[in-house]
Amino acid sequence: LKHKKPQESKTEPDSRPQSEESCPICGDKVSGYHYGLLTCESCKGFFKRSVQNNKHYTCVEQQNCPMNLSQRKRCPSCRFQKCLAVGMKREAVRADRMRGGRNKFGPLYRRDRQMKQQKLYHQTNTATYRFRMETHWPTAPHDFHLMSNHTSVSLSSDVFNKTHMYPSSVGQSAAHIPLDCAMNEDRNLSPPSLSYPELYCCTFPGSVQEKGEMSFSYSFATANYPVHPTSNDSFTPRSTPASSPCPTPSSSTLLSQASTQAPDTPSSSIPTNNFLSQLLEGEQDESQLCAKVLASLQREQSNRGKHDRLNTFSIMCKMADLTLFGLVEWARNSTIFKEIKVEDQMVLLQSCWSELLVLDHLCRQVTYGREGCIYLVTGQQIEVLTIISQAGAALRSLVSRTQDLVSKLKILQLDRHEFVCLKYLVLFNPDVKSVQSRRQVEQTQEKVNRALMEHTQQNHPGHSDKFGQLLLRLPEVRSISLQVEEYLYQRHLLGDLPCNSLLTEMLHSKHN
DNA sequence: TCCTCAGGGCCATAG
DNA sequence: CTATGGCCCTGAGGA
């Protein structure tokens, strides 16, 4: 082996930051940028051989084989598909086989690196989970900043146009929603017919907004949110009568509500098992949420003309927006969340909204999702492969990563209690900048953390490390949520997002 | 001019 | 036998 240096002479200091990251294809250690993004050495070699030798693989399974360090060799077909899905570029493999030099992606790699650095800087300044178990942050979105012209086309196009959507057995009423996928490409959205202005009726005086830090003017006016006539309060958490939303909310009532909210009876005085049931009390009923979203979408579509129908991406945004609204409501009605200052409530929600959305999505997939399908809040399902094959690189990567996480959570058999705890752990993040009652937030997070630990130990004694395994999933949730924000922001810049939505407001609050 | 680092080649090893 | 993956060589472009 003439090229190989003797083992002892190897200088082995490789402490480059990227070596900490994991390969988006198989999770192995990243060795550098290869064919468009950071990957491991083996996936680099695999991709190179596949392209150079013009390989055509066939999957003997369902084309959704698990891809990790130990199983990556099993199915070259799925491996190659995943390489493409996360954004590896065939054109980066040289036809002339010339060695050395730099390729045309040089500037993109540089930009990607800068973005990562910025993210890292931001993350170290707003370090997230106090119980941090990870020593590094997960890979930032790779392909997103590496979009070449041809991929940005797919970004701006309606990737769901040809997606097969069909109602599931769970959400039967979904069949009535005009979600045909050949909807016109309506990028120039008219203001939403959802009566959002009503939701903007009040702001928070003296809030951070006045300092010009954000524009979180979204009122928490549940009662004004347009819902199906028969399910007017379906969005109100069922078992929180004491904390039912104020019908005509004003900033003053909101503030007084918060300030008079049991300051002398902190949640720490509640026994843990009661505490856990208390956390579970505010959970939304999935069928009610489903009905509400369907009703809202149906109304939206019926208000539009034949040629003015929302395209599928816009529908997805609406779904996300309504879900997000529900999550904000969930937090607002939570007894322990009401114990903290309104200003803190706002910054916490602003900081974690996308993580809550991702967690919510994950829970839905674990609970209802079929193998190889994405289960929507409306009860409809979309085949993952259809999306993977038709979406742009950014969305493909997002879907792929999210589905990987879904698989992991399914294996862990995440239950409802654990899911609620994860939501609260994400919500009560004492490391969010400008949180005033840091100690209080920290204590609540610790309490939730303890409740989760005790629950997993009591209910899953056979699975001794379930608690640790669950916490280890949170950095990936965080990472995916950042990627979601980036993706949405890019589409927002393309004019694809409805402007008067909570989603857009939340996006703006961060990007400002 | 030197250094960096991504693409290509080599080859021990696994299956 | 072929595929894999770790290691090294190469050389354009940047400092």
Side-chain angles (χ1 to χ4, degrees):
Chain A
L1 188 55
K2 59 182 176 185
H3 292 308
K4 273 186 184 153
K5 286 180 190 169
Q7 195 71 15
E8 60 275 15
S9 70
K10 260 193 343 190
T11 49
E12 189 49 55
D14 188 9
S15 56
R16 286 181 300 174
Q18 65 210 37
S19 63
E20 299 274 317
E21 295 194 21
S22 60
C23 175
I25 298 128
C26 68
D28 200 354
K29 198 175 110 179
V30 154
S31 71
Y33 284 91
H34 305 296
Y35 311 108
L37 69 155
L38 289 169
T39 72
C40 68
E41 197 63 22
S42 77
C43 288
K44 164 199 159 187
F46 170 77
F47 188 76
K48 179 187 68 175
R49 283 191 302 273
S50 302
V51 175
Q52 280 180 342
N53 303 328
N54 198 22
K55 292 279 185 189
H56 293 286
Y57 306 110
T58 313
C59 177
V60 292
E61 300 289 326
Q62 310 301 311
Q63 301 187 346
N64 57 357
C65 302
M67 209 43 65
N68 54 42
L69 188 55
S70 58
Q71 292 175 299
R72 65 190 177 194
K73 280 199 264 190
R74 274 192 178 176
C75 180
S77 172
C78 290
R79 189 180 188 184
F80 190 64
Q81 283 309 312
K82 190 157 183 194
C83 286
L84 294 173
V86 299
M88 288 183 91
K89 298 177 194 314
R90 291 169 187 271
E91 60 268 33
V93 179
R94 295 170 184 168
D96 58 5
R97 300 204 165 190
M98 198 193 70
R99 304 172 77 181
R102 286 276 189 270
N103 68 18
K104 59 180 174 179
F105 300 115
L108 294 167
Y109 291 147
R110 211 167 37 252
R111 211 169 70 213
D112 188 53
R113 219 176 252 122
Q114 278 168 2
M115 291 293 293
K116 279 185 204 306
Q117 211 124 54
Q118 273 175 16
K119 277 216 166 77
L120 200 73
Y121 176 78
H122 177 74
Q123 283 157 0
T124 45
N125 279 335
T126 58
T128 309
Y129 306 107
R130 286 197 48 74
F131 44 81
R132 178 180 313 227
M133 301 181 73
E134 80 280 21
T135 53
H136 65 280
W137 275 86
T139 316
H142 294 288
D143 61 304
F144 198 80
H145 309 293
L146 294 173
M147 288 294 162
S148 54
N149 291 338
H150 69 279
T151 48
S152 65
V153 170
S154 53
L155 253 185
S156 60
S157 68
D158 187 359
V159 295
F160 287 105
N161 259 346
K162 286 174 276 176
T163 301
H164 309 297
M165 297 170 72
Y166 47 88
S168 72
S169 53
V170 188
Q172 286 173 0
S173 51
H176 305 299
I177 242 253
L179 271 183
D180 65 88
C181 299
M183 278 175 278
N184 59 331
E185 184 147 298
D186 175 20
R187 291 197 34 202
N188 200 5
L189 293 170
S190 56
S193 61
L194 302 170
S195 46
Y196 281 112
E198 292 173 320
L199 300 165
Y200 288 81
C201 63
C202 68
T203 54
F204 296 91
S207 70
V208 204
Q209 194 187 6
E210 286 190 351
K211 298 170 198 155
E213 284 182 31
M214 59 182 192
S215 59
F216 189 84
S217 59
Y218 204 92
S219 111
F220 293 140
T222 317
N224 289 337
Y225 204 83
V227 290
H228 191 275
T230 56
S231 56
N232 226 353
D233 55 354
S234 64
F235 231 41
T236 310
R238 291 155 297 161
S239 26
T240 51
S243 57
S244 60
C246 139
T248 50
S250 69
S251 49
S252 54
T253 52
L254 265 164
L255 285 167
S256 61
Q257 233 180 14
S259 57
T260 54
Q261 200 56 241
D264 298 321
T265 52
S267 53
S268 52
S269 60
I270 304 164
T272 310
N273 51 349
N274 289 347
F275 179 64
L276 196 53
S277 3
Q278 183 197 351
L279 296 187
L280 209 62
E281 272 178 5
E283 278 301 285
Q284 281 183 83
D285 185 287
E286 179 72 15
S287 59
Q288 287 180 353
L289 176 64
C290 174
K292 187 190 138 36
V293 174
L294 277 170
S296 181
L297 286 170
Q298 240 162 0
R299 194 174 35 258
E300 169 89 23
Q301 288 290 46
S302 60
N303 286 344
R304 288 167 169 267
K306 224 178 203 174
H307 305 290
D308 190 33
R309 296 260 189 249
L310 290 172
N311 65 17
T312 314
F313 180 74
S314 301
I315 293 175
M316 296 294 165
C317 287
K318 296 275 178 204
M319 287 185 198
D321 203 45
L322 290 162
T323 311
L324 182 56
F325 186 89
L327 286 164
V328 170
E329 276 302 293
W330 159 79
R332 263 199 71 241
N333 288 315
S334 150
T335 314
I336 57 169
F337 194 64
K338 280 194 288 195
E339 286 174 8
I340 60 171
K341 287 183 186 171
V342 169
E343 286 85 351
D344 282 349
Q345 292 181 15
M346 285 161 61
V347 291
L348 288 181
L349 276 170
Q350 261 197 310
S351 161
C352 75
W353 64 272
S354 57
E355 278 172 278
L356 289 178
L357 265 181
V358 170
L359 268 176
D360 189 71
H361 172 83
L362 290 169
C363 179
R364 191 165 294 115
Q365 306 317 306
V366 170
T367 315
Y368 307 109
R370 285 209 325 242
E371 198 64 44
C373 284
I374 289 178
Y375 187 92
L376 304 177
V377 66
T378 51
Q380 292 161 298
Q381 300 196 56
I382 307 177
E383 279 175 4
V384 174
L385 272 177
T386 316
I387 302 175
I388 295 280
S389 64
Q390 295 177 13
L395 189 57
R396 279 204 305 266
S397 159
L398 257 178
V399 168
S400 170
R401 290 182 67 191
T402 308
Q403 287 304 104
D404 283 354
L405 192 50
V406 168
S407 307
K408 286 178 191 164
L409 292 176
K410 276 185 175 169
I411 291 167
L412 280 176
Q413 294 179 308
L414 185 82
D415 67 35
R416 201 166 164 75
H417 292 82
E418 291 152 357
F419 166 67
V420 173
C421 287
L422 292 184
K423 279 209 299 190
Y424 275 104
L425 286 177
V426 162
L427 180 62
F428 283 88
N429 176 5
D431 295 321
V432 170
K433 251 197 295 191
S434 68
V435 162
Q436 294 167 26
S437 312
R438 203 169 295 281
R439 185 77 194 118
Q440 195 186 358
V441 173
E442 195 177 307
Q443 280 173 343
T444 310
Q445 195 194 47
E446 280 164 6
K447 190 164 168 54
V448 174
N449 205 33
R450 225 170 18 249
L452 175 61
M453 186 176 70
E454 285 173 17
H455 171 80
T456 52
Q457 283 170 352
Q458 281 168 13
N459 294 275
H460 307 277
H463 192 164
S464 58
D465 192 34
K466 189 173 188 187
F467 172 63
Q469 289 295 318
L470 287 175
L471 294 190
L472 280 172
R473 303 284 81 84
L474 286 178
E476 178 69 359
V477 171
R478 171 75 173 180
S479 173
I480 290 174
S481 75
L482 288 173
Q483 202 174 343
V484 167
E485 285 180 26
E486 291 276 1
Y487 177 70
L488 288 176
Y489 193 68
Q490 288 300 318
R491 296 217 58 160
H492 165 67
L493 294 178
L494 291 167
D496 290 340
L497 250 60
C499 40
N500 292 330
S501 66
L502 179 57
L503 207 60
T504 318
E505 269 222 57
M506 291 295 206
L507 272 176
H508 271 292
S509 70
K510 276 201 178 175
H511 280 266
N512 289 341

